[in-house]
Amino acid sequence: MTSIALKSFVGLRQSSLEKHHFTVQAKPLINVQTPRRFRVVAGKFSPKVTGRNLRVAIIGGGPAGGAAAETLAKGGIETFLIERKLDNCKPCGGAIPLCMVGEFDLPLDIIDRKVTKMKMISPSNVAVDIGQTLKPHEYIGMVRREVLDAYMRNRATENGAKVINGLFLKMDMPTEDNAPYVLHFTEYDGRAGGTGDKKTLEVDAVIGADGANSRVAKSIGAGDYEYAIAFQERIKIPDEKMVYYENLAEMYVGDDVSPDFYGWVFPKCDHVAVGTGTVTHKGDIKKFQLATRNRAKDKILGGKIIRVEAHPIPEHPRPRRLAGRVALVGDAAGYVTKCSGEGIYFAAKSGRMCAEAIVEGSENGKRMVDEGDLRKYLEKWDKTYWPTYKVLDILQKVFYRSNPAREAFVEMCADEYVQKMTFDSYLYKRVVPGNPLEDLKLAVNTIGSLVRANALRREMDKLSV
């Protein structure tokens, strides 16, 4: 099998500076003893931090910020986490892969539902059942963000991080090498309302985990990106109807619910989350939300809306995710996948990876870090996840462009092999090797579905003339 070597990417673009690694095996010389093995380790030239440990501030207390704060605190870093809304309920479908439960040691009592069945529903309301390939122990976790985020922040606090209820305002850049960043913020100290107290904080490095509207990103000139608007309503439905959604989630596709995304009905502890999103038609988001409710109306009839939420979601990584000793993670960096809109796992994972790079580079808080230390996080991230983002970007462009293409997409989802490959990749966040024969059959079937979709589209165009 041909192997593909992924090169380093910076900003999800191929780096102009390629690093080549060569392995040279010399032939043994006659009558010469086996040569000694040498290992060359680059010296660490960053100055030691004296009289204290390295200080790092995380702006934003979602999964990215919580994971980063916990890792830093465990690694001997003096850690500060600044979050304005400690009870924040972000409009988020709330789906997490099975691997996240294990990787981040999440307790089962914060998971509202274990989804083992999904329905993908086409523009013409053809429903395909997904989940038949799941093993008995496998599921997609459904969480409420206010519960998950609070748990991860509290665990960071237990490990030594200081959580500040405050609003980050701006950041003064260092005036010389190794000088501190000065953060300006308003501290509320848990008080409801009021103006709060203006304060400053000096730190050696900053992690921006403050979402799509990141002020940290603006502070380092990270550049803009295209974003989607996600709109979600939490709907309390009668108990007898909630039984239907006990372990089931629904996804609706069609121009009526979104021209470039999908609508969803995801089960929570005692209600369902009904939502949709769009990049291209943000002004029509409420119209798409109404259409999503209408598509699911028979199953949510009698429900009462208990919360309405809206929030921007990035569509691609920012042009710049690192500057000096400041790095972006999670939504602030743009780590939300196209096609599926997944972001929770990638937020937490990026926060942890960035923190690990700081802990390693600082030798557990004993030395100053520099941009090179933080860049290791970006290189590792891009090498690991760039293929995932690229594939999902292609899928969205191919299958979300028209209703006939969406019909083809739903038809393809009925294939058991497609379901197995999709769930294995999603649940465990790894590239699953395919079966060559099944891959060939899938390619033929996909082409057939697209051909039928295009033929249907041409017929529909004739009728609309």
Side-chain angles (χ1 to χ4, degrees):
M1 179 179 293
T2 304
S3 61
I4 300 175
L6 292 174
K7 300 176 182 177
S8 297
F9 286 78
V10 177
L12 295 188
R13 300 185 183 89
Q14 185 175 334
S15 172
S16 59
L17 299 177
E18 299 179 14
K19 297 180 180 179
H20 303 280
H21 301 278
F22 302 93
T23 302
V24 180
Q25 183 175 346
K27 294 181 179 180
L29 299 177
I30 300 176
N31 298 326
V32 177
Q33 294 182 350
T34 302
R36 294 169 58 189
R37 293 182 178 179
F38 296 92
R39 186 177 67 170
V40 179
V41 179
K44 181 69 179 178
F45 297 106
S46 295
K48 286 188 175 182
V49 178
T50 58
R52 58 175 178 83
N53 283 9
L54 190 78
R55 304 163 300 183
V56 178
I58 303 103
I59 313 301
E70 180 186 9
T71 303
L72 290 171
K74 284 182 175 179
I77 310 296
E78 187 176 0
T79 307
F80 304 89
L81 187 154
I82 301 175
E83 168 59 45
R84 173 64 184 97
K85 297 180 179 179
L86 296 177
D87 59 349
N88 186 38
C89 303
K90 183 180 177 182
C92 173
I96 61 172
L98 181 61
C99 66
M100 184 174 179
V101 179
E103 281 187 49
F104 291 88
D105 196 22
L106 300 178
L108 295 182
D109 60 2
I110 72 169
I111 298 174
D112 286 343
R113 300 279 175 175
K114 295 181 179 180
V115 169
T116 57
K117 302 174 185 176
M118 294 190 74
K119 282 188 181 291
M120 178 70 73
I121 303 168
S122 77
S124 62
N125 280 326
V126 173
V128 168
D129 292 320
I130 302 175
Q132 55 189 325
T133 64
L134 288 178
K135 298 180 178 65
H137 70 282
E138 292 179 329
Y139 62 88
I140 298 172
M142 290 291 167
V143 299
R144 285 165 289 159
R145 283 292 302 274
E146 62 271 26
V147 175
L148 174 67
D149 296 5
Y151 174 80
M152 297 186 74
R153 285 195 305 268
N154 290 340
R155 196 163 64 182
T157 302
E158 292 169 1
N159 282 280
K162 181 180 180 181
V163 175
I164 300 171
N165 180 202
L167 174 65
F168 171 73
L169 301 173
K170 65 176 183 176
M171 175 169 56
D172 295 338
M173 299 300 175
T175 55
E176 57 186 34
D177 290 345
N178 302 320
Y181 292 84
V182 181
L183 309 184
H184 297 258
F185 64 98
T186 301
E187 185 172 11
Y188 295 96
D189 195 24
R191 298 190 301 269
T195 57
D197 300 320
K198 296 290 191 298
K199 293 192 176 182
T200 60
L201 176 67
E202 290 188 352
V203 294
D204 303 304
V206 179
I207 297 178
D210 48 338
N213 293 323
S214 171
R215 292 187 177 184
V216 176
K218 292 180 175 65
S219 296
I220 64 171
D224 295 325
Y225 49 25
E226 190 60 85
Y227 66 92
I229 288 293
F231 191 97
Q232 179 173 274
E233 295 167 326
R234 300 193 188 196
I235 302 178
K236 177 78 172 176
I237 61 177
D239 292 342
E240 62 272 18
K241 290 186 176 295
M242 196 68 202
V243 173
Y244 172 78
Y245 289 107
E246 181 179 4
N247 62 346
L248 172 76
E250 293 180 323
M251 297 172 64
Y252 295 85
V253 292
D255 283 334
D256 57 333
V257 298
S258 175
D260 53 345
F261 204 55
Y262 62 88
W264 64 84
V265 181
F266 288 170
K268 304 298 179 180
C269 59
D270 60 353
H271 63 275
V272 291
V274 181
T276 185
T278 180
V279 176
T280 58
H281 293 68
K282 299 180 181 69
D284 294 327
I285 188 67
K286 290 187 177 180
K287 180 181 73 174
F288 300 141
Q289 177 67 12
L290 177 60
T292 304
R293 284 207 313 268
N294 285 338
R295 293 274 292 273
K297 64 182 179 181
D298 293 339
K299 288 161 283 190
I300 63 174
L301 189 65
K304 178 182 178 182
I305 297 174
I306 57 177
R307 183 186 290 272
V308 178
E309 307 158 335
H311 200 272
I313 296 177
E315 277 292 290
H316 59 81
R318 288 187 187 272
R320 187 182 195 185
R321 294 169 287 155
L322 172 65
R325 287 171 274 139
V326 181
L328 303 177
V329 296
D331 282 15
Y335 296 151
V336 176
T337 60
K338 289 192 175 182
C339 193
S340 66
E342 182 188 3
I344 296 177
Y345 173 82
F346 293 112
K349 191 71 172 179
S350 62
R352 174 179 282 182
M353 288 173 65
C354 183
E356 288 172 343
I358 293 174
V359 171
E360 181 181 354
S362 68
E363 298 179 1
N364 294 94
K366 303 305 179 185
R367 290 185 178 275
M368 182 62 66
V369 291
D370 56 28
E371 184 172 312
D373 295 311
L374 275 68
R375 188 165 295 281
K376 291 177 183 178
Y377 136 66
L378 284 187
E379 291 171 351
K380 182 178 179 181
W381 175 268
D382 290 347
K383 181 177 180 180
T384 304
Y385 296 114
W386 181 84
T388 298
Y389 282 81
K390 192 63 179 177
V391 167
L392 291 173
D393 184 21
I394 293 171
L395 285 176
Q396 180 165 339
K397 290 176 179 175
V398 171
F399 290 110
Y400 282 15
R401 70 184 191 275
S402 68
N403 274 352
R406 295 183 188 100
E407 295 284 354
F409 179 59
V410 173
E411 179 183 328
M412 187 177 71
C413 288
D415 185 272
E416 185 172 322
Y417 181 66
V418 171
Q419 293 188 26
K420 176 174 173 50
M421 296 295 288
T422 300
F423 272 109
D424 285 354
S425 298
Y426 173 80
L427 291 177
Y428 302 107
K429 291 294 174 284
R430 61 172 182 246
V431 177
V432 180
N435 179 304
L437 179 59
E438 292 294 335
D439 286 341
L440 179 60
K441 288 167 58 179
L442 174 60
V444 172
N445 290 339
T446 302
I447 292 171
S449 294
L450 289 172
V451 168
R452 288 191 294 275
N454 286 327
L456 176 60
R457 184 177 187 177
R458 285 194 295 269
E459 292 303 316
M460 292 176 67
D461 288 343
K462 290 178 183 178
L463 293 174
S464 63
V465 174

